[in-house]
Amino acid sequence: MLAAPLVAAATPTDGLPLVKAHLAAVESMTADFVQTDRTGKSLSGVLTLKKPGKIRFQYEKGVPILVVADGKSLWFLDYQVGQKQRWPIANAPLGVLLDPTKDATRFAKVIPGGDPRVISVEANDPKHPEYGKITMIFARTSGAPGGLMLQGWVALDAQNNRTLVRLANQKFNIAIADNAFRFNEPTRNVRRN
């Protein structure tokens, strides 16, 4: 659950430096997630992140989808239909979480709000609207890296489809093996008579 409403934020003058410090301090993270799409359908699972460039969304049992970044590309794998799609990490809205060299101050801005305990940051590349937009929500938490806790994000794709991801049980800077970001190739199920 998010700690505060999605529209709340800190002042623009202190928000981005705090977010930048948090992102720099996080080398790895695991969290439970709930993803809700534009129709209200929710899926849950476990998020695993390791810098640079690795993330895995392992969905609940029975969901034939996997989203994984292997350090070079972000992959969307659909095992039910045997398809995969690939995006360079730099082009993915989640690139701001995965690439420690990205300067968030160049492509992100704080969204003003009424709760000083929450910072909402919107990131997108205005030269490439087809990459989508992400609004990350952070709560000020003294025990978290950089004094912030990533609560989740709202992603908008190029067609303005909205996906909300809420995080819980975040654990930072723990050991994560590189093989956690491997995946099996999806294959088409071919029926034979």
Side-chain angles (χ1 to χ4, degrees), residues 156-178:
L156 289 174
D157 66 16
Q159 291 76 41
N160 218 27
N161 292 317
R162 180 180 184 268
T163 302
L164 169 65
V165 175
R166 296 175 188 254
L167 302 179
N169 303 317
Q170 298 92 324
K171 294 181 180 89
F172 297 99
N173 299 328
I174 58 174
I176 297 173
D178 285 336

Side-chain angles (χ1 to χ4, degrees), residues 53-122:
K54 296 178 180 152
I55 197 166
R56 181 182 189 102
F57 291 88
Q58 184 67 55
Y59 289 87
E60 62 198 81
K61 187 174 182 172
V63 176
I65 295 170
L66 176 66
V67 177
V68 63
D70 58 11
K72 295 178 182 133
S73 300
L74 181 67
W75 297 93
F76 176 83
L77 307 155
D78 186 332
Y79 292 98
Q80 184 171 357
V81 296
Q83 292 182 341
K84 69 179 181 179
Q85 292 178 297
R86 176 192 166 278
W87 295 273
I89 289 172
N91 295 352
L94 285 175
V96 69
L97 294 175
L98 302 174
D99 185 352
T101 64
K102 274 197 166 200
D103 180 7
T105 60
R106 289 187 28 237
F107 56 89
K109 65 181 178 180
V110 172
I111 305 298
D115 188 341
R117 299 168 298 171
V118 176
I119 300 173
S120 296
V121 175
E122 181 181 279

